[in-house]
Amino acid sequence: MPHDLADKVQKILETIPISFRGPGGAVAVLKDGELVAEKVWGYANLSTRTPITAETLMPICSITKQMTCALLHDLENNTPPEVAANGTFQEQMEIQLKEWLPASLTGSSGLTIRHLCDMQSGLRDYWAVSMICGAKPDQPFTIEGDGMKMISKFKTFHFQPGSEFSYSNVNFFVLARLIERITKQPLPKLLKERIFRPRNMTTAKLIPDTAKHPGDCLGYEGNEEYGFLPATNRIEWSGDAGVTASLNDMIAYEKDFDQRWKSKGQYYKTASATTYKDGNPASYSYGMGHLKIGGDDGVDTVGHAGALRGWRMQRRYVVKERMSVIVLFNSENLNPSKAISLIVKGALDLPEPPSTPAVEPVESWFGDFLDEDTQLNISVSKGDEGQIVVVYARDKENIRLVTPTQAKNDGNVASIEGDTLKIHRVNENRHLVAKRVQPEVLTDGSRLQGSYKCAELESTFVVEGRDNMLYGAFDGPLGQGPANLMKRLGENVWAWNCPRALDHTPPGDWTIVFTEKEGVISGVTIGCWLARRLEFVKV
């Protein structure tokens, strides 16, 4: 490994702590499967002043998904004899999928195991749906009790399998449970024997209970201004997340990953980017996202982020340059994606995109718009010079204007014409056509009070309040949820605030669209980007 590259990368890593201020962190960079540089700093526990080291165990959360897929791949190619006696592993997974999920999801939908691996199933995310099934953000959530209960409620898709992308943890919850059913082995044991041990990940474990993480590292809520507080987690997850690992474990993982990707063997072919059923390219495959760093002329990468209350992490592999970057933060308000982008751009001397003259937006961009198909609200506001800010999938997205009525970034192509907003969500393979929500208000909102029942989820939405100050709460299979504030966007279009969730950052505001027939409120459509179009009838 050239010393100049190692020195250059180490200098970049030395800037990460001050650029991402928080309790602590751990980062590493590998090139051609060999460690180039690493940096650990800060505290695993602020109260005891226990330092973070390369051996400190942290939950890597959704990075687990690619390991679940790697396990599936290994079982398909190295099936235990007692399991192989019943047919190929792939065939058994497809059979179990049809037997395990409700018939309404498997009958004629064409749903396959591969749809689950690629986030193309059309199944709604169970962590999101839990919030409208009566869950409180800090309550326990068990796999055998609550997880199975949630799966049993799912009867419909929010799009047809194979047609789009939508992030859904339930895909990997199902994959893991089917693997356990077929092998008759618990997932932690299978991962240890088939993934961690062969890769020399000596301290990595799958720990389903987030309240029982090994080691002495804490995750933190809060920030430097208001202070850092230890995060409390009480959920169980296994397959969609659950692995705890040290920086050294992740370095070992990256060494193995580099060899598998470099060889272009069976795993590489299986996990490479795929397509939707219409032939359009898909950006998520086999538990990993495929994206560019550095814009259209940047570098192709493959990897995944992970998040839990108090934790943020990400691993990413730069394909052509064979460079791996690992970032682990024990603070939920730090952004590992930005850290990785900074490291990759600096290490590879990626140029900044050429500057172009700023375009002024027309005023018709700004406001709230309701997508006709998903019934989700899209908010558009003015951003930095030459940009608009769109909020659809929880986070703010900056989109650069190319003309006063057209805007584009890596994942969106948007246009405005009068009161109609169109956005092509490129990576999701979805076209949004949204009409402006007229802000005029004719009533005080009191007529919306009452209870609304969702037959599919067996959940009740309770609306109380008046004078345009309404509160919404959900009573359902997971209990009686807290009352949260509602915000009026238009006459019958509201947003239900969801500031906290069971797993980590909440799905964002839910769109609440009340149905009116002959002047009488008869129902409501409720959804967010992770769980769209759930129908509730007034009772």
Side-chain angles (χ1 to χ4, degrees), residues 494-516:
W494 294 66
W496 181 69
N497 181 243
C498 184
R500 292 172 65 84
L502 281 166
D503 57 338
H504 64 101
T505 305
D509 288 350
W510 292 71
T511 303
I512 310 293
V513 183
F514 290 92
T515 304
E516 184 173 353

Side-chain angles (χ1 to χ4, degrees), residues 150-271:
M150 292 305 301
I151 294 296
S152 72
K153 303 299 178 189
F154 286 20
K155 302 294 189 298
T156 62
F157 299 103
H158 60 178
F159 60 79
Q160 282 303 301
S163 63
E164 299 179 25
F165 166 91
S166 184
Y167 196 90
S168 179
N169 287 282
V170 79
N171 292 323
F172 292 84
F173 178 93
V174 172
L175 283 173
R177 304 293 78 75
L178 299 186
I179 289 171
E180 290 177 327
R181 284 168 66 91
I182 294 170
T183 62
K184 296 180 173 56
Q185 296 287 335
L187 198 68
K189 182 175 184 291
L190 290 167
L191 285 170
K192 179 180 179 180
E193 294 174 351
R194 291 175 173 263
I195 302 299
F196 304 149
R197 188 179 295 159
R199 289 161 176 78
N200 201 31
M201 300 171 70
T202 58
T203 61
K205 298 178 182 177
L206 191 146
I207 310 291
D209 191 342
T210 57
K212 296 179 180 178
H213 282 152
D216 50 11
C217 193
L218 301 178
Y220 287 89
E221 298 186 78
N223 54 36
E224 193 170 7
E225 181 179 1
Y226 296 104
F228 295 99
L229 300 174
T232 299
N233 293 291
R234 296 192 178 97
I235 63 171
E236 291 181 356
W237 50 11
S238 176
D240 49 335
V243 171
T244 60
S246 67
L247 182 64
N248 282 344
D249 289 325
M250 293 306 298
I251 290 170
Y253 178 82
E254 294 300 333
K255 290 180 177 181
D256 178 86
F257 187 89
D258 173 74
Q259 292 303 308
R260 292 175 189 270
W261 214 256
K262 171 192 170 186
S263 71
K264 291 183 166 53
Q266 191 59 44
Y267 174 76
Y268 166 84
K269 294 173 183 177
T270 303

Side-chain angles (χ1 to χ4, degrees), residues 15-318:
T15 70
I16 298 300
I18 192 66
S19 300
F20 298 86
R21 295 171 63 87
V27 297
V29 175
L30 293 85
K31 178 75 169 70
D32 300 334
E34 296 298 329
L35 182 64
V36 173
E38 64 181 305
K39 174 72 175 177
V40 295
W41 71 95
Y43 292 101
N45 186 316
L46 291 169
S47 295
T48 63
R49 287 180 272 179
T50 303
I52 287 180
T53 72
E55 290 79 37
T56 298
L57 291 169
M58 302 187 197
I60 62 170
C61 308
S62 286
I63 297 173
T64 301
K65 290 179 171 66
Q66 62 199 266
M67 297 176 184
T68 301
C69 285
L71 173 63
L72 175 62
H73 183 267
D74 186 69
L75 286 165
E76 288 176 346
N77 290 277
N78 301 286
T79 311
E82 67 274 14
V83 176
N86 299 316
T88 69
F89 199 84
Q90 186 174 4
E91 290 170 345
Q92 293 183 65
M93 286 288 287
E94 298 291 353
I95 291 169
Q96 286 293 324
L97 178 66
K98 290 179 172 58
E99 291 182 356
W100 201 65
L101 288 180
S104 60
L105 297 176
T106 59
S108 60
S109 67
L111 178 67
T112 67
I113 291 296
R114 189 64 201 228
H115 289 143
L116 302 180
C117 295
D118 296 347
M119 297 287 192
Q120 294 184 29
S121 70
L123 295 169
R124 299 176 178 91
D125 180 67
Y126 72 151
W127 295 121
V129 173
S130 292
M131 304 317 296
I132 61 170
C133 283
K136 294 181 174 66
D138 296 319
Q139 76 181 44
F141 183 100
T142 66
I143 292 171
E144 290 300 323
D146 302 311
M148 297 299 190
K149 185 185 299 181
M150 292 305 301
I151 294 296
S152 72
K153 303 299 178 189
F154 286 20
K155 302 294 189 298
T156 62
F157 299 103
H158 60 178
F159 60 79
Q160 282 303 301
S163 63
E164 299 179 25
F165 166 91
S166 184
Y167 196 90
S168 179
N169 287 282
V170 79
N171 292 323
F172 292 84
F173 178 93
V174 172
L175 283 173
R177 304 293 78 75
L178 299 186
I179 289 171
E180 290 177 327
R181 284 168 66 91
I182 294 170
T183 62
K184 296 180 173 56
Q185 296 287 335
L187 198 68
K189 182 175 184 291
L190 290 167
L191 285 170
K192 179 180 179 180
E193 294 174 351
R194 291 175 173 263
I195 302 299
F196 304 149
R197 188 179 295 159
R199 289 161 176 78
N200 201 31
M201 300 171 70
T202 58
T203 61
K205 298 178 182 177
L206 191 146
I207 310 291
D209 191 342
T210 57
K212 296 179 180 178
H213 282 152
D216 50 11
C217 193
L218 301 178
Y220 287 89
E221 298 186 78
N223 54 36
E224 193 170 7
E225 181 179 1
Y226 296 104
F228 295 99
L229 300 174
T232 299
N233 293 291
R234 296 192 178 97
I235 63 171
E236 291 181 356
W237 50 11
S238 176
D240 49 335
V243 171
T244 60
S246 67
L247 182 64
N248 282 344
D249 289 325
M250 293 306 298
I251 290 170
Y253 178 82
E254 294 300 333
K255 290 180 177 181
D256 178 86
F257 187 89
D258 173 74
Q259 292 303 308
R260 292 175 189 270
W261 214 256
K262 171 192 170 186
S263 71
K264 291 183 166 53
Q266 191 59 44
Y267 174 76
Y268 166 84
K269 294 173 183 177
T270 303
S272 292
T274 182
T275 63
Y276 298 103
K277 65 182 181 182
D278 62 6
N280 287 333
S283 61
Y284 193 99
S285 176
Y286 225 54
M288 292 182 288
H290 297 253
L291 59 83
K292 282 185 176 291
I293 292 178
D296 292 339
D297 297 323
V299 292
D300 293 316
T301 73
V302 59
H304 212 291
L308 174 64
R309 190 178 300 154
W311 307 89
R312 294 293 184 271
M313 43 275 303
Q314 188 169 156
R315 67 153 297 266
R316 196 145 287 281
Y317 180 77
V318 185

Side-chain angles (χ1 to χ4, degrees), residues 377-427:
N377 181 62
I378 306 167
S379 294
V380 184
S381 59
K382 193 167 186 176
D384 293 338
E385 188 178 22
Q387 296 184 7
I388 58 172
V389 177
V390 172
V391 179
Y392 166 74
R394 184 184 65 202
D395 298 324
K396 293 180 179 179
E397 298 179 70
N398 296 303
I399 308 180
R400 189 161 190 83
L401 290 152
V402 293
T403 74
T405 60
Q406 296 175 311
K408 182 180 179 181
N409 67 5
D410 291 343
N412 298 278
V413 179
S415 64
I416 188 71
E417 184 176 347
D419 289 335
T420 301
L421 171 70
K422 294 182 180 180
I423 301 179
H424 177 201
R425 304 279 295 178
V426 179
N427 295 333

